[in-house]
Amino acid sequence: MARVNEYYADLQNNFLFAEVARRVAVHQARHPQLEYLRLGIGDVTSPLVPAVTQALHRAVDEMGQANTFKGYGPEQGYSFLREAIVQHDFAQRGVTMDNEAIFISDGSKCDVGNLQELFSPDAVIAVTDPVYPVYVDSNIMAGRGGNRGHILYLPCTQENNFVPELPSGKVDVIYLCYPNNPTGTVLSRAQLAVWVEYALACEAVIIFDAAYEAYINDPNIPHSIYEIDGAEKVAIECRSFSKTAGFTGLRCAYTVIPKTVRAKNVQGETVSLQGMWQRRQCTRYNGCPYIVQRAAEAVYSPEAQTQLAAVLQGYMRNARAIRQAVLEMGLHCVGGVNAPYVWMQTPEHLSSWECFDVLLDAGIVCTPGAGFGPSGEGYVRFTAFGSAAHSQQAMERLKVLENFA
Ligand code: MLT
């Protein structure tokens, strides 16, 4: 009989969001009358904007005509989209980026999960704690979990103002997500520069997840790690249209690997990670659909930018309302200012999962902080991606919960 990958035994039974969905479904079966207000998984609820759906329609029509039909596309993505990305996401922010560095994909979740394949099985991986679980789980699946000690947690707590400290020893790969999922906190330019300097000094690679950069309000917060000098030598950046343009169902993202980002092989020679990723994508991936890439290109049009600004402002109004309500209850929270997540400390007598249960009984779905790592215990996360009415209603229910705050 075939042998399974034993490393899967090092994983928790269920992926966090699947476990939350399972518990909500069980609860719902017992309380069919309860109207649930879903502030759990960070899934967008506003529809695609008209400029994007119009581009989709046009692309669908092209696929139905012999002279404009497209078969397999370039694995790395169509040049029209890669050029638009370089122009709008980088050049306009003063960052010089080469088209060759851009790899279009169908989601950042896959990219941040797959990137670990570029590194040796005994690479030491550092993650902030709490952390988006995909970084950890994908490394566990590759054999870096269990008691092998290849995953180092960098606590982000109230004590250090949710700013991770540099690892005391040598690490090979560091995952940073800013604006942060789940805490909603950000790193200033100076704080991010500390990480770039560390990576340059230790020859480490940073995987920078910037999925929520569009929610940054403070002009002093960097949107891209490449705004920091030297980052082009040590950083891979993952970006997504999911939260920026409502593509969670449509699926389009991209990963940036400048050719100057290198790591060593066993002979001690340096190898380009861009070349390795190119090799990997060509082997395992046939590219994001043409119609979706045309929709993503349309995101950069002036019409779409105006339409999307209104959507994102709506989400951020929710974030502020959630944050305000939590603070008025006398509970500690962070986030909700430059990110669509609010990270709330649970009342003293409740653990993360207990708080999740209490809120679920009130019909409010949140995500328990403990699911994001040991330092997430004692917190829950609220997403601002719901409707204004639901976010407001959830906070009204929270405020009248007996013995809560
Ligand atoms: C979240 O809730 O953290 C996000 O929806 C996860 C994701 O983007 O995959």
Side-chain angles (χ1 to χ4, degrees), residues 15 17 40-43 109 132-134 181-182 211-212 242-243 248 341 367 372 381 383 385:
F15 184 62
F17 298 109
I41 189 163
D43 193 5
K109 186 180 188 178
Y132 179 44
V134 176
N181 179 12
Y212 300 93
S242 284
K243 313 293 158 78
T248 53
Y341 294 124
T367 309
F372 294 101
R381 189 194 74 176
T383 158
F385 287 122

PDB file of all heavy atoms in Angstrom, residues 15 17 40-43 109 132-134 181-182 211-212 242-243 248 341 367 372 381 383 385, ligand 1:
ATOM      1  N   PHE A  15      -8.077  23.115   8.642  1.00  0.00           N
ATOM      2  CA  PHE A  15      -7.597  24.471   8.363  1.00  0.00           C
ATOM      3  C   PHE A  15      -8.511  25.428   9.131  1.00  0.00           C
ATOM      4  O   PHE A  15      -9.725  25.198   9.250  1.00  0.00           O
ATOM      5  CB  PHE A  15      -7.665  24.726   6.855  1.00  0.00           C
ATOM      6  CG  PHE A  15      -7.106  26.052   6.440  1.00  0.00           C
ATOM      7  CD1 PHE A  15      -5.777  26.357   6.672  1.00  0.00           C
ATOM      8  CD2 PHE A  15      -7.908  26.988   5.814  1.00  0.00           C
ATOM      9  CE1 PHE A  15      -5.246  27.583   6.291  1.00  0.00           C
ATOM     10  CE2 PHE A  15      -7.389  28.222   5.439  1.00  0.00           C
ATOM     11  CZ  PHE A  15      -6.055  28.516   5.680  1.00  0.00           C
ATOM     12  N   PHE A  17     -10.102  28.284   8.814  1.00  0.00           N
ATOM     13  CA  PHE A  17     -11.380  28.822   8.327  1.00  0.00           C
ATOM     14  C   PHE A  17     -12.378  27.705   8.033  1.00  0.00           C
ATOM     15  O   PHE A  17     -13.589  27.901   8.131  1.00  0.00           O
ATOM     16  CB  PHE A  17     -11.161  29.733   7.118  1.00  0.00           C
ATOM     17  CG  PHE A  17     -10.320  30.928   7.480  1.00  0.00           C
ATOM     18  CD1 PHE A  17      -9.019  31.055   7.026  1.00  0.00           C
ATOM     19  CD2 PHE A  17     -10.817  31.906   8.336  1.00  0.00           C
ATOM     20  CE1 PHE A  17      -8.224  32.133   7.393  1.00  0.00           C
ATOM     21  CE2 PHE A  17     -10.037  32.987   8.716  1.00  0.00           C
ATOM     22  CZ  PHE A  17      -8.735  33.099   8.241  1.00  0.00           C
ATOM     23  N   GLY A  40     -16.323  36.786  10.220  1.00  0.00           N
ATOM     24  CA  GLY A  40     -15.287  35.765  10.400  1.00  0.00           C
ATOM     25  C   GLY A  40     -14.258  35.822   9.292  1.00  0.00           C
ATOM     26  O   GLY A  40     -13.353  36.666   9.309  1.00  0.00           O
ATOM     27  N   ILE A  41     -14.396  34.939   8.298  1.00  0.00           N
ATOM     28  CA  ILE A  41     -13.398  34.908   7.214  1.00  0.00           C
ATOM     29  C   ILE A  41     -13.390  36.250   6.475  1.00  0.00           C
ATOM     30  O   ILE A  41     -14.443  36.885   6.300  1.00  0.00           O
ATOM     31  CB  ILE A  41     -13.661  33.734   6.242  1.00  0.00           C
ATOM     32  CG1 ILE A  41     -12.480  33.598   5.262  1.00  0.00           C
ATOM     33  CG2 ILE A  41     -14.987  33.881   5.496  1.00  0.00           C
ATOM     34  CD1 ILE A  41     -12.440  32.263   4.543  1.00  0.00           C
ATOM     35  N   GLY A  42     -12.203  36.658   6.070  1.00  0.00           N
ATOM     36  CA  GLY A  42     -12.076  37.949   5.374  1.00  0.00           C
ATOM     37  C   GLY A  42     -12.449  37.827   3.916  1.00  0.00           C
ATOM     38  O   GLY A  42     -11.585  37.929   3.055  1.00  0.00           O
ATOM     39  N   ASP A  43     -13.733  37.604   3.661  1.00  0.00           N
ATOM     40  CA  ASP A  43     -14.184  37.491   2.268  1.00  0.00           C
ATOM     41  C   ASP A  43     -15.011  38.719   1.910  1.00  0.00           C
ATOM     42  O   ASP A  43     -15.923  39.100   2.660  1.00  0.00           O
ATOM     43  CB  ASP A  43     -15.031  36.219   2.090  1.00  0.00           C
ATOM     44  CG  ASP A  43     -15.255  35.902   0.620  1.00  0.00           C
ATOM     45  OD1 ASP A  43     -14.684  36.611  -0.237  1.00  0.00           O
ATOM     46  OD2 ASP A  43     -16.013  34.962   0.333  1.00  0.00           O
ATOM     47  N   LYS A 109      -2.897  32.975  -1.894  1.00  0.00           N
ATOM     48  CA  LYS A 109      -2.872  31.848  -0.962  1.00  0.00           C
ATOM     49  C   LYS A 109      -1.997  30.739  -1.537  1.00  0.00           C
ATOM     50  O   LYS A 109      -1.136  30.178  -0.855  1.00  0.00           O
ATOM     51  CB  LYS A 109      -4.296  31.343  -0.730  1.00  0.00           C
ATOM     52  CG  LYS A 109      -4.416  30.271   0.326  1.00  0.00           C
ATOM     53  CD  LYS A 109      -5.874  29.879   0.445  1.00  0.00           C
ATOM     54  CE  LYS A 109      -6.135  28.966   1.606  1.00  0.00           C
ATOM     55  NZ  LYS A 109      -7.570  28.644   1.724  1.00  0.00           N
ATOM     56  N   TYR A 132      -1.084  34.369   9.512  1.00  0.00           N
ATOM     57  CA  TYR A 132      -1.984  33.772   8.514  1.00  0.00           C
ATOM     58  C   TYR A 132      -1.584  32.290   8.393  1.00  0.00           C
ATOM     59  O   TYR A 132      -0.431  31.982   8.071  1.00  0.00           O
ATOM     60  CB  TYR A 132      -1.784  34.523   7.191  1.00  0.00           C
ATOM     61  CG  TYR A 132      -2.601  34.044   6.023  1.00  0.00           C
ATOM     62  CD1 TYR A 132      -3.953  33.741   6.139  1.00  0.00           C
ATOM     63  CD2 TYR A 132      -2.013  33.916   4.762  1.00  0.00           C
ATOM     64  CE1 TYR A 132      -4.686  33.316   5.041  1.00  0.00           C
ATOM     65  CE2 TYR A 132      -2.743  33.498   3.662  1.00  0.00           C
ATOM     66  CZ  TYR A 132      -4.081  33.192   3.813  1.00  0.00           C
ATOM     67  OH  TYR A 132      -4.806  32.770   2.726  1.00  0.00           O
ATOM     68  N   PRO A 133      -2.487  31.357   8.700  1.00  0.00           N
ATOM     69  CA  PRO A 133      -2.080  29.955   8.881  1.00  0.00           C
ATOM     70  C   PRO A 133      -1.473  29.273   7.659  1.00  0.00           C
ATOM     71  O   PRO A 133      -0.784  28.266   7.802  1.00  0.00           O
ATOM     72  CB  PRO A 133      -3.379  29.247   9.313  1.00  0.00           C
ATOM     73  CG  PRO A 133      -4.477  30.225   9.176  1.00  0.00           C
ATOM     74  CD  PRO A 133      -3.900  31.590   9.012  1.00  0.00           C
ATOM     75  N   VAL A 134      -1.675  29.821   6.474  1.00  0.00           N
ATOM     76  CA  VAL A 134      -1.147  29.177   5.264  1.00  0.00           C
ATOM     77  C   VAL A 134       0.389  29.099   5.299  1.00  0.00           C
ATOM     78  O   VAL A 134       0.979  28.106   4.863  1.00  0.00           O
ATOM     79  CB  VAL A 134      -1.617  29.941   3.999  1.00  0.00           C
ATOM     80  CG1 VAL A 134      -1.010  29.350   2.738  1.00  0.00           C
ATOM     81  CG2 VAL A 134      -3.137  29.925   3.913  1.00  0.00           C
ATOM     82  N   ASN A 181      -2.460  40.560   8.614  1.00  0.00           N
ATOM     83  CA  ASN A 181      -3.564  39.648   8.864  1.00  0.00           C
ATOM     84  C   ASN A 181      -3.020  38.664   9.885  1.00  0.00           C
ATOM     85  O   ASN A 181      -2.004  38.017   9.601  1.00  0.00           O
ATOM     86  CB  ASN A 181      -3.939  38.903   7.565  1.00  0.00           C
ATOM     87  CG  ASN A 181      -5.068  37.930   7.782  1.00  0.00           C
ATOM     88  OD1 ASN A 181      -5.731  37.945   8.815  1.00  0.00           O
ATOM     89  ND2 ASN A 181      -5.287  37.060   6.805  1.00  0.00           N
ATOM     90  N   PRO A 182      -3.562  38.550  11.080  1.00  0.00           N
ATOM     91  CA  PRO A 182      -4.884  38.989  11.505  1.00  0.00           C
ATOM     92  C   PRO A 182      -4.971  40.280  12.321  1.00  0.00           C
ATOM     93  O   PRO A 182      -6.072  40.737  12.579  1.00  0.00           O
ATOM     94  CB  PRO A 182      -5.308  37.829  12.422  1.00  0.00           C
ATOM     95  CG  PRO A 182      -4.036  37.439  13.104  1.00  0.00           C
ATOM     96  CD  PRO A 182      -2.952  37.598  12.039  1.00  0.00           C
ATOM     97  N   ALA A 211      -1.165  41.766   0.667  1.00  0.00           N
ATOM     98  CA  ALA A 211      -2.532  41.598   0.154  1.00  0.00           C
ATOM     99  C   ALA A 211      -3.475  42.739   0.561  1.00  0.00           C
ATOM    100  O   ALA A 211      -4.474  42.989  -0.105  1.00  0.00           O
ATOM    101  CB  ALA A 211      -3.097  40.263   0.644  1.00  0.00           C
ATOM    102  N   TYR A 212      -3.136  43.418   1.667  1.00  0.00           N
ATOM    103  CA  TYR A 212      -4.066  44.435   2.184  1.00  0.00           C
ATOM    104  C   TYR A 212      -3.535  45.859   2.004  1.00  0.00           C
ATOM    105  O   TYR A 212      -4.027  46.787   2.645  1.00  0.00           O
ATOM    106  CB  TYR A 212      -4.362  44.148   3.676  1.00  0.00           C
ATOM    107  CG  TYR A 212      -4.994  42.785   3.853  1.00  0.00           C
ATOM    108  CD1 TYR A 212      -4.216  41.670   4.126  1.00  0.00           C
ATOM    109  CD2 TYR A 212      -6.361  42.603   3.689  1.00  0.00           C
ATOM    110  CE1 TYR A 212      -4.786  40.407   4.238  1.00  0.00           C
ATOM    111  CE2 TYR A 212      -6.935  41.352   3.806  1.00  0.00           C
ATOM    112  CZ  TYR A 212      -6.147  40.255   4.082  1.00  0.00           C
ATOM    113  OH  TYR A 212      -6.717  39.013   4.193  1.00  0.00           O
ATOM    114  N   SER A 242      -7.736  40.191  -4.762  1.00  0.00           N
ATOM    115  CA  SER A 242      -8.883  39.709  -3.967  1.00  0.00           C
ATOM    116  C   SER A 242      -9.488  40.803  -3.113  1.00  0.00           C
ATOM    117  O   SER A 242     -10.690  41.068  -3.169  1.00  0.00           O
ATOM    118  CB  SER A 242      -8.446  38.558  -3.050  1.00  0.00           C
ATOM    119  OG  SER A 242      -8.293  37.385  -3.786  1.00  0.00           O
ATOM    120  N   LYS A 243      -8.654  41.408  -2.282  1.00  0.00           N
ATOM    121  CA  LYS A 243      -9.177  42.363  -1.319  1.00  0.00           C
ATOM    122  C   LYS A 243      -9.141  43.779  -1.886  1.00  0.00           C
ATOM    123  O   LYS A 243      -9.819  44.669  -1.414  1.00  0.00           O
ATOM    124  CB  LYS A 243      -8.371  42.301  -0.008  1.00  0.00           C
ATOM    125  CG  LYS A 243      -8.136  40.879   0.513  1.00  0.00           C
ATOM    126  CD  LYS A 243      -9.403  40.186   0.967  1.00  0.00           C
ATOM    127  CE  LYS A 243      -9.302  38.677   0.983  1.00  0.00           C
ATOM    128  NZ  LYS A 243      -8.612  38.053   2.059  1.00  0.00           N
ATOM    129  N   THR A 248     -12.095  37.744  -4.799  1.00  0.00           N
ATOM    130  CA  THR A 248     -11.941  36.472  -4.049  1.00  0.00           C
ATOM    131  C   THR A 248     -12.585  35.305  -4.800  1.00  0.00           C
ATOM    132  O   THR A 248     -12.109  34.180  -4.737  1.00  0.00           O
ATOM    133  CB  THR A 248     -12.514  36.560  -2.615  1.00  0.00           C
ATOM    134  OG1 THR A 248     -13.853  37.035  -2.682  1.00  0.00           O
ATOM    135  CG2 THR A 248     -11.699  37.475  -1.716  1.00  0.00           C
ATOM    136  N   TYR A 341      -9.145  44.631   9.290  1.00  0.00           N
ATOM    137  CA  TYR A 341      -9.322  43.708  10.416  1.00  0.00           C
ATOM    138  C   TYR A 341      -9.187  44.440  11.734  1.00  0.00           C
ATOM    139  O   TYR A 341      -8.334  45.322  11.875  1.00  0.00           O
ATOM    140  CB  TYR A 341      -8.266  42.587  10.376  1.00  0.00           C
ATOM    141  CG  TYR A 341      -8.417  41.661   9.194  1.00  0.00           C
ATOM    142  CD1 TYR A 341      -7.360  41.451   8.316  1.00  0.00           C
ATOM    143  CD2 TYR A 341      -9.623  40.982   8.950  1.00  0.00           C
ATOM    144  CE1 TYR A 341      -7.494  40.601   7.217  1.00  0.00           C
ATOM    145  CE2 TYR A 341      -9.759  40.141   7.859  1.00  0.00           C
ATOM    146  CZ  TYR A 341      -8.697  39.954   6.995  1.00  0.00           C
ATOM    147  OH  TYR A 341      -8.827  39.125   5.909  1.00  0.00           O
ATOM    148  N   THR A 367     -13.380  35.263  14.124  1.00  0.00           N
ATOM    149  CA  THR A 367     -12.350  34.224  14.002  1.00  0.00           C
ATOM    150  C   THR A 367     -11.552  34.216  15.301  1.00  0.00           C
ATOM    151  O   THR A 367     -11.053  35.271  15.720  1.00  0.00           O
ATOM    152  CB  THR A 367     -11.409  34.495  12.809  1.00  0.00           C
ATOM    153  OG1 THR A 367     -12.209  34.736  11.648  1.00  0.00           O
ATOM    154  CG2 THR A 367     -10.513  33.297  12.537  1.00  0.00           C
ATOM    155  N   PHE A 372      -4.720  31.475  14.961  1.00  0.00           N
ATOM    156  CA  PHE A 372      -3.641  32.104  14.194  1.00  0.00           C
ATOM    157  C   PHE A 372      -2.272  31.893  14.856  1.00  0.00           C
ATOM    158  O   PHE A 372      -1.278  32.439  14.382  1.00  0.00           O
ATOM    159  CB  PHE A 372      -3.890  33.609  14.070  1.00  0.00           C
ATOM    160  CG  PHE A 372      -5.101  33.987  13.245  1.00  0.00           C
ATOM    161  CD1 PHE A 372      -6.289  34.363  13.857  1.00  0.00           C
ATOM    162  CD2 PHE A 372      -5.043  33.991  11.861  1.00  0.00           C
ATOM    163  CE1 PHE A 372      -7.402  34.740  13.107  1.00  0.00           C
ATOM    164  CE2 PHE A 372      -6.146  34.374  11.096  1.00  0.00           C
ATOM    165  CZ  PHE A 372      -7.331  34.740  11.728  1.00  0.00           C
ATOM    166  N   ARG A 381     -10.698  37.995  15.999  1.00  0.00           N
ATOM    167  CA  ARG A 381     -10.573  38.924  14.866  1.00  0.00           C
ATOM    168  C   ARG A 381     -11.938  39.180  14.239  1.00  0.00           C
ATOM    169  O   ARG A 381     -12.710  38.242  14.020  1.00  0.00           O
ATOM    170  CB  ARG A 381      -9.641  38.326  13.808  1.00  0.00           C
ATOM    171  CG  ARG A 381      -9.273  39.314  12.705  1.00  0.00           C
ATOM    172  CD  ARG A 381      -8.648  38.624  11.502  1.00  0.00           C
ATOM    173  NE  ARG A 381      -9.639  37.902  10.722  1.00  0.00           N
ATOM    174  CZ  ARG A 381      -9.395  37.263   9.577  1.00  0.00           C
ATOM    175  NH1 ARG A 381      -8.175  37.242   9.084  1.00  0.00           N
ATOM    176  NH2 ARG A 381     -10.350  36.635   8.930  1.00  0.00           N
ATOM    177  N   THR A 383     -13.718  40.925  10.819  1.00  0.00           N
ATOM    178  CA  THR A 383     -13.438  41.490   9.498  1.00  0.00           C
ATOM    179  C   THR A 383     -14.437  42.612   9.198  1.00  0.00           C
ATOM    180  O   THR A 383     -15.590  42.569   9.636  1.00  0.00           O
ATOM    181  CB  THR A 383     -13.526  40.420   8.388  1.00  0.00           C
ATOM    182  OG1 THR A 383     -13.768  41.067   7.146  1.00  0.00           O
ATOM    183  CG2 THR A 383     -14.650  39.446   8.587  1.00  0.00           C
ATOM    184  N   PHE A 385     -15.269  43.318   6.104  1.00  0.00           N
ATOM    185  CA  PHE A 385     -15.712  43.088   4.727  1.00  0.00           C
ATOM    186  C   PHE A 385     -17.217  42.839   4.578  1.00  0.00           C
ATOM    187  O   PHE A 385     -17.682  42.525   3.494  1.00  0.00           O
ATOM    188  CB  PHE A 385     -14.944  41.911   4.109  1.00  0.00           C
ATOM    189  CG  PHE A 385     -13.511  42.229   3.774  1.00  0.00           C
ATOM    190  CD1 PHE A 385     -12.475  41.492   4.331  1.00  0.00           C
ATOM    191  CD2 PHE A 385     -13.202  43.255   2.901  1.00  0.00           C
ATOM    192  CE1 PHE A 385     -11.149  41.763   4.014  1.00  0.00           C
ATOM    193  CE2 PHE A 385     -11.877  43.543   2.576  1.00  0.00           C
ATOM    194  CZ  PHE A 385     -10.851  42.795   3.135  1.00  0.00           C
TER     195      PHE A 385
HETATM  196  C1  MLT B   1      -8.757  35.607   6.043  1.00  0.00           C
HETATM  197  O1  MLT B   1      -9.873  35.593   6.533  1.00  0.00           O
HETATM  198  O2  MLT B   1      -7.737  35.646   6.753  1.00  0.00           O
HETATM  199  C2  MLT B   1      -8.637  35.595   4.578  1.00  0.00           C
HETATM  200  O3  MLT B   1      -9.844  35.500   3.969  1.00  0.00           O
HETATM  201  C3  MLT B   1      -7.827  34.484   4.184  1.00  0.00           C
HETATM  202  C4  MLT B   1      -7.460  34.510   2.753  1.00  0.00           C
HETATM  203  O4  MLT B   1      -7.391  35.563   2.142  1.00  0.00           O
HETATM  204  O5  MLT B   1      -7.181  33.416   2.266  1.00  0.00           O
END
